[in-house]
Amino acid sequence: MVVVGLLLPNQTLASTIFWQWLNQSHNACVNYANRNATKPSPTSKFIQGYLGAVVSAVSIAVGLNVLIQRANQFTPATRILIQRFVPFPAVASANICNVVLMRHTELEEGIDVLDGEGNVVGSSRIAARHALLETALTRVVLPMPILVLPPIIMSLLEKTAFLRSRPRMLLPVQSLVCLAAFGLALPLAISLFPQMSEIETARLEPEIAQATTSLTVTYNKGL
């Protein structure tokens, strides 16, 4: 539902703000629920991260729309087509902000790293940076097929005689296209990095390297 809403044509300022707010609210809850929870995180940190993520998403989306509206060199048809692609850079940029803001306590306190037998070796801020980087990359890849493919496909389908004679079918068809793209993108993005990632001990803090004989340790990067 959120993806379909983000890709609706002829978005107003109010609808752009609403769908970006709804999308980032959902993302904030997903990022919080799937974080590395080895360290407790106060509710105040969640609220700060949530507000920062929503403000960044709405600002990017609205800013891009305003720039396009003021681009006089584009024809109205071209402007509408470009506007359909605005959700991707807005969502991708905001998703990175969302992950970092919702999980920034991991960067401050570190996350647990485990040896080959599953024993906690220590708490590493370096491993936390790797975990957030990997998660942020998946958040860039995830919306790519979802927010790029449907506008391309719909721009072609809207020219067919079937949809021209049946305008009420536009929303159901777009919903099916978005659903198919989401089914492709989700497993692809999540499979980029394993949830239990591995890192060389020598690359971590000296106290952790000295605390184990294992050449590599693992950490839960979250989803």
Side-chain angles (χ1 to χ4, degrees), residues 67-80 82:
L67 287 175
I68 292 170
Q69 289 292 343
R70 293 181 177 179
N72 297 324
Q73 65 270 29
F74 296 133
T75 64
T78 303
R79 193 179 292 122
I80 291 173
I82 294 175

Side-chain angles (χ1 to χ4, degrees), residues 113-123 199-218:
V113 292
L114 314 173
D115 61 18
E117 298 178 355
N119 301 314
V120 177
V121 177
S123 186
I199 188 171
E200 295 177 1
T201 310
R203 298 172 61 186
L204 301 180
E205 291 84 349
E207 61 271 19
I208 294 178
Q210 295 170 5
T212 180
T213 56
S214 298
L215 296 178
T216 61
V217 291
T218 58

Side-chain angles (χ1 to χ4, degrees), residues 140-153:
V140 173
V141 174
L142 177 59
M144 193 178 296
I146 300 172
L147 298 177
V148 173
L149 290 179
I152 296 174
I153 295 171

Side-chain angles (χ1 to χ4, degrees), residues 1-6 18-19 22:
M1 180 184 70
V2 175
V3 173
V4 174
L6 286 169
F18 172 77
W19 288 112
L22 188 61

Side-chain angles (χ1 to χ4, degrees), residues 31-132:
N31 289 332
Y32 183 79
N34 291 283
R35 71 196 186 285
N36 183 306
T38 55
K39 297 288 188 297
S41 179
T43 306
S44 60
K45 294 287 187 181
F46 170 81
I47 295 173
Q48 290 172 11
Y50 167 72
L51 292 175
V54 170
V55 169
S56 65
V58 172
S59 300
I60 293 168
V62 172
L64 288 173
N65 274 317
V66 170
L67 287 175
I68 292 170
Q69 289 292 343
R70 293 181 177 179
N72 297 324
Q73 65 270 29
F74 296 133
T75 64
T78 303
R79 193 179 292 122
I80 291 173
L81 182 63
I82 294 175
Q83 278 183 314
R84 286 188 165 187
F85 291 94
V86 165
F88 173 66
V91 169
S93 304
N95 281 356
I96 296 174
C97 296
N98 200 317
V99 170
V100 174
L101 290 168
M102 294 305 302
R103 295 175 54 179
H104 69 279
T105 53
E106 297 175 29
L107 295 173
E108 299 170 358
E109 302 178 8
I111 58 175
D112 289 349
V113 292
L114 314 173
D115 61 18
E117 298 178 355
N119 301 314
V120 177
V121 177
S123 186
S124 172
R125 288 189 293 273
I126 295 175
R129 287 202 298 269
H130 281 267
L132 261 67

